[in-house]
């Protein structure tokens, strides 16, 4: 019955063509009662603005953020230990949200809401806290009641006067810069600076000891745990205040290194344009002038919170540090020269205010990535302002449009739903204002959605999963469930180019869904880029079924890169090859070349932009990876799969590498890879190498050849050892052989301060090598020990000895045989390896005891000397084993690396490669459990995440359909199970 003829009853704005709109309206006017199809569903009357509404929303306090380990604390600013650590008498199972800082933030919110309720304005604000089963910790909800405009203004004030989204950011610093290691005390100038920065920025700062850090070396990509010799500055506070303090700490470290500091004013709206895509522009300026340029954090104007007594950073202040004033002036000149030639394209785009707030609270990391990838300045309105215009600025129209479409796809991750009770059950008591507040708080806490209640109408806004969970909770409320008549509407936002894809040929898909699920589906175009799919029905089960069927028809897609020279081979003559693949898997495949991406004059980065997109309905998402695999089979192995890999290098050495930028560019061309340096403000050691899967390990190996490393082996000074080290055989034969065969430089040094346990003097062998040859140190040590044995020298190692690789034999099974003929191998010698260290219980005890007396700010710094002495003498207690031979051929190591980088459990349309949670049920809808009876009962809704099938590995990027709320992919979730 629900055929296309039923469309005559739908309101304007659906997918009916504009040419036939007048005729359809005339037919509606002459509509006869015998017309086929379901009766029209009346639209609920919207309440007037002056009526009293109830608005409930969650306050993202980040109450699951834990403080530092008390054993690591060497210095803390005023009251920082009190706020971020539990008292000594606290039990072991005390929750994180019981920290003093989280308790005080909640108490401050309660006082703010109390002052709002007791003022003269007709508005009330109430705070409720709970720990739902599906949440990680404490969830705080605020429920406002009053006139609509006043409620929205109050929500804006609460969000901008509350320290939401607390975070911890760290900066690594050399211990010599912050402490006098010889005397064993912290430098007073450093502690004074940290205290002053804490007050100025409104944050808590801790100075922490070294930590174990994973390091990847060489072609084989093995992860090694090394004790990082750098200390850490941990900064706790809200997002913008923490970034402000972090920049000040980084600038102070540059000053301690002897660099000069200056600043320049650059308009906030053109800072991203100046930085360039992948920091290309600013990297050239920094490398040519040997300077470091610190920009304000992006989207600073969107958040107006500032801690009491603190100062906000100016959004136009750009700091520059350099070796001298001439270098800084040169950097300023280049910045002004570049900005004088800038010509901008500007565009304003309208977006739903509720969805913009959701993006500002939960998706700003993705918005930042969109801005960086397209070199576009994106300026959303301030948080809670209810403004609906976001501004975009770019150098060209193409990246500007690309940024707009990607942001609109991100906005499409959020749904809007209404549940209107037109005829409530008179036998059920109507909820009181207190019942409504408790009910809305339960819905928010269990779904993470914003809920409005006005004249028996619920309005829900949030991520797709949050809206579904909220509808499930509302369905369990007794007086709602027993209402004889109600209307439910769910709006899904989708890109305009997918309208025909979803509706099907002659609206066949939509008609089939309406017939199967007893819902009406309306297409409503409301903007230049997106349209709404509105699912309307009278019952929860119907909307649940209909929405599931609609989601199954949403486009799921993956995108990846194939060099342009292979496109003709893949498409085939007359499209024969690609048509066969598309028909075989029911997947649409589209190629784009350099001209489609904006012409041949595009910058070099465009050579690695995803230029193949595969799209299919979500119910057929399992075939996307099969299509990709079949396409890549026609591509040479060296270009078949692009990947990203992270390399860790000391952030201060990045400046030395940038000074060799021409060599790095030649390396990128040789291996067809891209090396991306992090921003100066991030202060991270991680660099990203992207390129073909087969060539990335080789590029990393070549790149690590530019990074020096060293290792010290300290031995007890004996006459035989000194005679051997001064002999012509060692100087003229052994040292050159270590250099030519093992790529290791060995020099002999003496340190009078370092002695053996018996007080004898020591001698040090300094091994210098590059990071890609770190594995050769073990073989070089074995060779040198063989020469020691030949010369009759028995060295006594104080620290730095390397253990011999454990042989691959049946030795482990020998203890099971009680035979005197089978001898047991001796225990390995304690070592301190630069390439394969493992820190066991002894190291843990050492770390605990060394920092025990330093963890309290008032305990004094006199124990740092003992801390350093024990670290020097205890390295021999760290055991280390090489897990494999270091003389493996490079080709086999590359093969190992290529295999390891191919993750087999990746989601086919999850573009970020983040694995989603496994689920037992094929339904994306949560099942609510009602605890107790009556209105305002606590409802526990298990969280279900994305319902997506798992498939083989892939690398992909953005798609036309936004992802679900709890994943970072760009495809659309295909529910498990066949299409019904």
């Amino acid at each position: 019955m629900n055929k296309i003829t039923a469309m005559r009853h739908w309101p304007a704005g659906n997918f009916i063509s504009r040419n036939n709109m007048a005729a359809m309206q005339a037919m509606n006017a002459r509509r006869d009662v015998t017309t086929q199809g379901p009766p029209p569903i009346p639209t609920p009357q919207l309440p007037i603005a002056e009526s009293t509404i109830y608005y409930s929303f969650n306050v993202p306090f980040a109450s699951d953020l834990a403080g530092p380990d008390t054993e690591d604390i060497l210095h803390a600013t005023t009251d920082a230990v009190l706020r971020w650590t539990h008292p000594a008498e606290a039990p072991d199972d005390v929750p994180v949200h019981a920290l003093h800082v989280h308790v005080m933030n909640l108490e401050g919110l309660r006082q703010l809401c109390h002052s709002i309720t007791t003022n003269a304005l007709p508005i009330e604000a109430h705070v409720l806290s709970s720990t739902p089963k599906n949440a990680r910790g404490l969830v705080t909800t605020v429920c406002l009641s009053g006139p609509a405009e006043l409620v929205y203004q109050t929500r804006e004030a609460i969000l901008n006067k509350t320290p939401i989204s607390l975070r911890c950011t760290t900066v690594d610093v050399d211990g010599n810069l912050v402490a006098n290691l010889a005397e064993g005390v912290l430098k007073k100038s450093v502690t004074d600076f940290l205290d002053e920065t804490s007050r100025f920025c409104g944050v808590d700062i801790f100075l922490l000891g070294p930590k174990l850090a994973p390091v990847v070396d060489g072609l084989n990509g093995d992860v090694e745990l090394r004790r990082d010799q750098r200390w850490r500055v941990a900064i706790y506070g809200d997002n913008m205040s923490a970034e402000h303090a972090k920049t000040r700490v980084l600038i102070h470290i540059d000053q301690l290194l002897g660099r000069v500091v200056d600043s320049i004013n650059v308009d906030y709206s053109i800072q991203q344009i100046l930085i360039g895509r992948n920091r290309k522009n600013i990297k050239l300026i920094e490398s040519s002038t040997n300077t470091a340029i610190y920009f304000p954090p992006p989207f600073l104007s969107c958040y107006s919170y500032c801690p009491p007594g603190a100062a906000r950073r100016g959004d136009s202040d750009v700091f520059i540090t350099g070796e001298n004033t001439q270098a800084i002036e040169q950097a300023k000149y280049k910045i002004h020269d570049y900005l004088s030639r800038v010509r901008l394209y500007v565009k304003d785009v309208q977006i739903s205010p509720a969805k913009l707030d959701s993006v500002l609270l939960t998706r700003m990391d993705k918005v930042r990535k969109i801005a960086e990838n397209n070199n576009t300045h994106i300026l959303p309105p301030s948080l809670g302002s209810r403004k609906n215009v976001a501004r975009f600025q770019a150098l060209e129209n193409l990246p500007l449009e690309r940024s707009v479409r990607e942001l609109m796809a991100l906005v499409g991750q959020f749904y809007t739903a209404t549940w209107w009770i037109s005829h409530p059950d008179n036998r059920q008591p109507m909820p009181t204002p207190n019942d409504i507040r408790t009910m809305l708080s339960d819905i928010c806490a269990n779904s993470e959605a914003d809920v409005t209640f006005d004249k028996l109408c619920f309005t829900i806004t949030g991520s797709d999963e949050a809206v579904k969970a909220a509808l499930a909770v509302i369905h369990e409320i007794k007086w709602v469930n027993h209402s004889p008549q109600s209307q439910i509407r769910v709006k899904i936002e989708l890109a305009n180019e997918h309208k025909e894809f979803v509706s099907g040929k002659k609206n066949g898909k939509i008609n089939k869904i309406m017939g199967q699920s007893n819902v009406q589906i309306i297409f409503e175009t409301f903007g230049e880029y997106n349209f709404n799919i509105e699912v309307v029905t009278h019952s929860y089960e119907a909307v649940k079924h209909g929405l599931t069927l609609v989601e199954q028809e949403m486009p799921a897609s993956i995108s990846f890169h194939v060099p342009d020279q292979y496109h003709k081979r893949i498409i085939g003559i007359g499209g024969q090859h690609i048509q066969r693949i598309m028909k075989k898997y029911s997947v649409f495949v589209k190629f784009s070349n350099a001209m489609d991406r904006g012409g041949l004059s595009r910058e070099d980065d465009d050579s690695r932009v995803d230029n193949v997109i595969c799209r299919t309905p979500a119910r057929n998402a399992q075939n996307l990876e099969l299509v990709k695999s079949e396409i890549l089979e026609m591509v040479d192995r060296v270009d078949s799969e692009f990947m990203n890999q992270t390399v860790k290098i000391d952030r201060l050495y990045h400046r030395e590498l940038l000074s060799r930028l021409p060599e790095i560019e030649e390396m990128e061309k040789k291996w067809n890879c891209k090396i991306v340096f992090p921003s100066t403000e991030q202060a991270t050691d991680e660099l990203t190498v992207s390129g073909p899967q087969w060539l990335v390990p080789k590029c990393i190996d070549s790149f690590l050849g530019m990074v020096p490393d060293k290792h010290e082996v300290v031995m007890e000074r004996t006459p035989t050892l000194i005679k051997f080290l001064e002999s012509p055989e060692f100087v003229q034969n052994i040292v050159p052989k270590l250099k030519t065969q093992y790529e290791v430089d060995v020099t002999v040094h003496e340190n009078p301060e370092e002695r053996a346990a018996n007080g004898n003097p020591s001698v040090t062998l300094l091994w210098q090598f590059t990071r890609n040859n770190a594995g050769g140190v073990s073989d070089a040590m074995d060779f040198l020990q063989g020469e020691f044995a030949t010369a009759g020298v028995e060295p006594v190692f104080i620290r730095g000895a390397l253990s011999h690789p454990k042989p691959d034999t049946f030795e482990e099974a020998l203890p099971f045989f009680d035979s005197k003929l089978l001898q047991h191998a001796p225990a390995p010698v304690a070592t301190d390896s630069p390439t394969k260290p493992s820190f066991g219980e002894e190291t843990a005890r050492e770390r605990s005891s060394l920092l025990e007396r330093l963890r309290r700010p008032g305990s004094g710094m006199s124990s740092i000397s003992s801390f350093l002495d024990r670290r020097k003498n205890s390295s021999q207690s760290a055991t280390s084993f090489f897990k494999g031979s270091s003389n493996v051929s490079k080709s086999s190591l590359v093969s190992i690396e290529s295999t390891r980088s191919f993750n087999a459990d990746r989601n086919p349309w999850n573009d970020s490669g983040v694995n989603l949670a496994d689920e037992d049920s094929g339904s994306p809808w949560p099942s609510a459990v009602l605890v107790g009876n009556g209105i305002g009962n606590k409802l526990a809704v298990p969280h279900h995440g994305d319902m997506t099938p798992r498939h083989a590995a892939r690398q992909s990027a953005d798609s036309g359909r936004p992802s679900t709320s709890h994943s970072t992919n760009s495809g659309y979730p295909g529910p498990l199970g066949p299409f019904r």
Side-chain angles (χ1 to χ4, degrees):
M1 296 296 292
N2 293 330
K3 299 299 182 182
I4 195 66
T5 56
M7 291 169 49
R8 69 185 64 181
H9 305 297
W10 294 1
N14 52 32
F15 52 77
I16 304 173
S17 63
R18 295 183 178 179
N19 297 332
N20 297 330
M21 186 62 64
M24 296 299 293
Q25 290 176 350
M27 292 175 61
N28 289 338
R30 300 189 303 268
R31 184 173 57 226
D32 188 68
V33 295
T34 60
T35 303
Q36 294 181 351
I41 297 178
T43 302
Q45 296 295 327
L46 296 178
I48 59 177
E50 289 76 12
S51 62
T52 298
I53 69 170
Y54 294 85
Y55 190 104
S56 184
F57 61 97
N58 290 338
V59 179
F61 267 135
S63 57
D64 58 340
L65 178 62
D69 190 347
T70 55
E71 295 182 351
D72 291 342
I73 299 176
L74 301 179
H75 175 78
T77 56
T78 305
D79 294 335
V81 173
L82 173 65
R83 282 194 287 264
W84 289 99
T85 61
H86 293 293
E89 63 275 8
D92 294 337
D93 58 347
V94 60
V96 175
H97 62 77
L99 285 172
H100 186 70
V101 61
H102 300 312
V103 174
M104 293 305 299
N105 288 339
L106 180 58
E107 183 61 27
L109 177 62
R110 294 186 188 276
Q111 294 179 2
L112 176 62
C113 291
H114 178 72
S115 64
I116 293 174
T117 303
T118 55
N119 65 13
L121 296 176
I123 187 170
E124 294 185 16
H126 299 270
V127 181
L128 293 176
S129 298
S130 60
T131 54
K133 293 182 179 179
N134 63 321
R136 291 184 298 176
L138 186 69
V139 177
T140 302
T141 304
V142 174
C143 186
L144 305 175
S145 60
E149 189 63 28
L150 194 56
V151 164
Y152 295 137
Q153 293 177 1
T154 304
R155 176 179 179 268
E156 178 184 8
I158 290 176
L159 290 177
N160 289 291
K161 292 182 179 179
T162 306
I164 61 175
S165 303
L166 296 178
R167 55 170 295 196
C168 172
T169 180
T170 59
V171 177
D172 295 324
V173 58
D174 192 344
N176 293 312
L177 297 178
V178 298
N180 189 332
L181 302 182
E183 299 179 3
V185 295
L186 294 176
K187 295 180 179 179
K188 188 176 185 302
S189 59
V190 174
T191 57
D192 291 343
F193 168 78
L194 294 180
D195 294 338
E196 191 273 334
T197 301
S198 173
R199 291 188 296 269
F200 186 78
C201 301
V203 296
D204 294 316
I205 303 179
F206 297 90
L207 181 60
L208 308 177
K211 65 175 182 177
L212 295 178
V215 178
V216 180
D217 283 331
L219 273 168
N220 55 5
D222 285 346
V223 178
E224 307 168 0
L225 282 178
R226 298 187 185 180
R227 182 177 290 281
D228 196 334
Q229 299 302 316
R230 297 172 297 176
W231 295 9
R232 295 166 290 160
V233 178
I235 304 170
Y236 288 79
D238 66 277
N239 192 16
M240 294 304 164
S241 300
E243 286 295 330
H244 186 193
K246 182 178 182 180
T247 301
R248 291 176 61 87
V249 170
L250 292 174
I251 294 174
H252 187 71
I253 292 175
D254 286 348
Q255 290 177 312
L256 294 177
L257 294 173
R259 298 172 73 91
V260 182
V261 182
D262 202 350
S263 64
I264 183 176
N265 288 331
V266 179
D267 188 81
Y268 183 69
S269 62
I270 58 176
Q271 289 178 8
Q272 178 58 48
I273 309 298
L274 172 63
I275 294 173
R277 183 179 181 184
N278 292 328
R279 298 187 62 83
K280 182 177 181 180
N281 299 336
I282 209 66
K283 185 170 65 175
L284 291 174
I285 296 176
E286 290 179 333
S287 62
S288 60
T289 60
N290 193 20
T291 57
I293 305 177
Y294 299 91
F295 287 88
F299 317 113
L300 181 62
S301 61
C302 298
Y303 306 92
S304 59
Y305 172 77
C306 183
R312 284 175 58 88
R313 178 178 178 179
D315 56 8
S316 61
D317 295 338
V318 178
F319 297 99
I320 306 175
T321 65
E323 297 291 341
N324 47 55
T325 55
Q326 291 78 11
I328 294 178
E329 291 299 326
Q330 186 180 4
K332 288 183 178 180
Y333 172 79
K334 292 192 174 186
I335 290 175
H336 285 296
D337 180 64
Y338 179 83
L339 294 179
S340 63
R341 295 180 280 108
V342 166
R343 180 182 177 184
L344 295 176
Y345 289 78
V346 183
K347 188 169 187 177
D348 292 337
V349 180
Q350 291 188 351
I351 304 174
S352 168
K355 294 185 177 182
L356 275 174
D357 283 349
S358 298
V359 171
L360 287 172
L361 290 173
T362 60
R363 298 288 193 275
M364 290 313 293
D365 54 339
K366 295 186 178 180
V367 178
R368 179 174 184 171
K369 185 174 293 185
I370 292 173
E372 293 175 349
N373 291 342
N374 298 295
N375 192 23
T376 305
H377 171 72
I378 302 177
L379 181 61
S382 60
L383 179 63
S385 63
R386 304 293 295 178
K387 296 180 180 179
N388 63 345
V389 176
R391 170 159 292 188
F392 295 78
Q393 293 183 179
L395 293 175
E396 298 179 355
N397 190 52
L398 179 65
L400 186 145
E401 288 293 328
R402 188 181 297 163
S403 299
V404 173
R405 295 182 186 278
E406 290 181 6
L407 182 62
M408 296 302 290
L410 191 65
V411 170
Q413 297 181 5
F414 301 94
Y415 287 5
T416 302
T418 58
W419 189 315
W420 179 52
I421 304 171
S422 56
H423 294 82
D425 188 359
N426 295 328
R427 296 170 298 178
Q428 295 289 333
M430 296 304 295
T432 64
N434 288 333
D435 294 334
I436 294 176
R437 296 187 190 99
T438 305
M439 174 181 61
L440 295 184
S441 298
D442 289 343
I443 297 173
C444 285
N446 288 279
S447 65
E448 299 181 359
D450 291 357
V451 184
T452 304
F453 183 75
D454 182 18
K455 290 187 176 180
L456 300 180
C457 181
F458 294 91
T459 302
I460 309 164
T461 303
S463 62
D464 50 359
E465 293 298 328
V467 170
K468 293 176 186 178
L471 290 175
V473 175
I474 295 174
H475 175 64
E476 295 296 330
I477 300 175
K478 183 179 297 185
W479 69 271
V480 174
N481 195 18
H482 290 175
S483 299
Q485 186 174 355
S486 61
Q487 181 188 111
I488 306 174
R489 292 173 176 259
V490 180
K491 284 187 178 181
I492 307 174
E493 194 168 342
L494 197 62
N496 286 333
E497 57 264 25
H498 299 318
K499 181 180 295 185
E500 185 177 354
F501 184 94
V502 176
S503 62
K505 188 176 182 181
K506 296 183 179 180
N507 305 307
K509 293 181 180 180
I510 297 302
N511 287 331
K512 185 176 181 181
I513 293 174
M514 290 192 298
Q516 288 181 346
S517 58
N518 192 27
V519 298
Q520 286 190 356
I521 299 176
I522 304 172
F523 283 13
E524 177 189 5
T525 301
F526 66 92
E528 180 182 356
Y529 297 96
N530 286 11
F531 74 101
N532 277 335
I533 302 176
E534 192 168 7
V535 181
V536 187
T537 185
H538 289 290
S539 67
Y540 170 76
E541 295 299 332
V543 75
K544 178 179 177 180
H545 186 204
L547 188 58
T548 300
L549 294 180
V550 170
E551 288 179 336
Q552 287 182 340
E553 298 300 331
M554 294 292 181
S557 62
I558 60 173
S559 58
F560 50 94
H561 177 79
V562 172
D564 291 355
Q565 63 266 26
Y566 296 100
H567 288 188
K568 289 185 178 180
R569 179 195 302 181
I570 298 171
I571 295 173
I573 300 175
Q576 292 180 355
H577 292 168
I578 198 63
Q579 289 289 344
R580 177 185 58 83
I581 295 175
M582 290 192 295
K583 184 177 180 181
K584 178 180 178 182
Y585 297 104
S586 299
V587 174
F588 171 75
V589 181
K590 180 181 179 181
F591 294 83
S592 63
N593 53 30
M595 295 299 294
D596 298 330
R597 298 192 298 271
L600 297 176
S601 61
R602 298 277 71 82
E603 58 185 85
D604 181 65
D605 292 344
D606 259 347
S607 64
R608 296 170 182 85
V609 170
D610 290 340
N611 53 11
V612 180
I613 183 170
C614 306
R615 184 177 294 123
T616 189
R619 54 186 167 83
N620 190 43
Q622 65 273 11
N623 285 339
L624 288 173
E625 186 59 32
L626 300 177
V627 172
K628 179 183 177 182
S629 300
E630 190 157 340
I631 289 176
L632 293 180
E633 285 178 358
M634 293 181 277
V635 180
D636 293 344
R637 184 181 183 184
V638 70
D639 296 320
S640 62
E641 185 77 29
F642 274 64
M643 61 171 290
N644 295 329
Q645 188 165 332
T646 300
V647 180
K648 287 192 174 183
I649 298 174
D650 189 337
R651 69 173 186 87
L652 293 178
Y653 196 75
H654 293 182
R655 300 169 184 175
E656 299 292 335
L657 294 173
L658 286 174
S659 64
R660 304 169 63 180
L661 196 58
E663 299 179 41
I664 296 177
E665 292 177 349
E666 287 295 326
M667 187 186 308
E668 291 176 334
K669 293 179 181 179
K670 177 180 179 181
W671 301 112
N672 190 26
C673 293
K674 192 71 178 178
I675 301 175
V676 180
F677 286 80
S679 65
T680 311
E681 305 84 20
Q682 286 179 303
T684 178
D685 296 338
E686 296 182 350
L687 296 89
T688 302
V689 181
S690 59
Q693 179 179 342
W694 182 249
L695 295 178
V696 165
K698 296 183 179 180
C699 180
I700 292 177
D701 184 78
S702 179
F703 181 62
L704 291 179
M706 303 172 64
V707 182
D709 204 345
K710 63 181 180 180
H711 176 63
E712 290 184 351
V713 178
V714 182
M715 298 174 288
E716 183 179 344
R717 181 186 179 96
T718 60
T720 55
L721 177 61
I722 295 301
K723 181 180 179 181
F724 175 77
L725 296 178
E726 294 176 350
S727 64
E729 174 67 17
F730 178 79
V731 176
Q732 300 176 6
N733 295 332
I734 297 178
V735 172
K737 195 171 184 179
L738 290 171
K739 175 62 178 175
T740 56
Q741 293 188 3
Y742 302 100
E743 299 291 338
V744 177
D745 285 326
V746 179
T747 54
V748 182
H749 302 274
E750 293 187 11
N751 185 4
E753 298 180 358
E754 189 158 15
R755 294 181 174 272
N758 55 11
N760 292 336
S762 64
V763 61
T764 301
L765 293 183
L766 180 62
W767 304 68
Q768 295 177 313
F769 48 91
T770 54
R771 281 272 300 276
N772 61 330
N773 292 317
V777 177
S778 174
D779 291 338
M781 178 63 75
D782 292 341
F783 169 75
L784 184 59
Q785 288 181 348
E787 296 296 329
F788 282 158
T790 303
V793 178
E794 296 183 0
V796 178
F797 293 97
I798 300 176
R799 63 178 177 89
L802 302 182
S803 65
H804 192 277
K806 188 176 181 179
D808 187 12
T809 65
F810 296 100
E811 182 179 312
E812 295 179 355
L814 296 184
F816 296 98
F817 299 92
D818 187 12
S819 174
K820 295 182 179 180
L821 298 178
L822 301 177
Q823 299 180 1
H824 300 287
V829 180
T831 60
D832 184 13
S833 168
T835 55
K836 300 288 183 181
S838 60
F839 297 87
E841 297 179 358
E842 181 68 23
T843 304
R845 289 194 299 268
E846 169 206 349
R847 181 170 175 268
S848 176
S849 60
L850 296 179
L851 302 180
E852 184 177 4
R853 288 178 291 174
L854 305 179
R855 61 186 180 185
R856 299 181 183 86
S859 62
M861 293 296 108
S862 60
S863 56
I864 292 185
S865 57
S866 61
F867 159 57
L868 299 173
D869 293 339
R870 290 204 52 180
R871 287 186 56 191
K872 290 180 180 180
N873 298 328
S874 62
S875 59
Q876 58 188 0
S877 63
T879 58
S880 172
F881 297 97
F882 283 89
K883 298 181 180 179
S885 177
S886 59
N887 55 0
V888 185
S889 65
K890 287 190 175 182
S891 61
S892 63
L893 292 175
V894 172
S895 177
I896 294 172
E897 174 62 28
S898 176
T899 303
R900 288 177 178 174
S901 62
F902 197 82
N903 302 322
D905 60 346
R906 294 274 295 280
N907 190 306
W909 44 268
N910 179 357
D911 297 328
S912 67
V914 178
N915 295 327
L916 306 178
D918 290 323
E919 297 294 342
D920 298 327
S921 172
S923 172
W925 290 80
S927 57
V929 180
L930 184 62
V931 182
N933 298 312
I935 299 173
N937 292 327
K938 299 290 182 179
L939 296 121
V941 181
H943 178 69
H944 283 282
D946 289 335
M947 306 306 302
T948 55
R950 293 185 179 274
H951 305 285
R954 68 177 187 84
Q955 290 282 345
S956 59
D958 198 15
S959 70
R961 167 63 189 155
S963 68
T964 54
S965 59
H966 300 286
S967 65
T968 56
N969 62 310
S970 300
Y972 191 80
L976 296 177
F979 175 69
R980 293 168 290 181

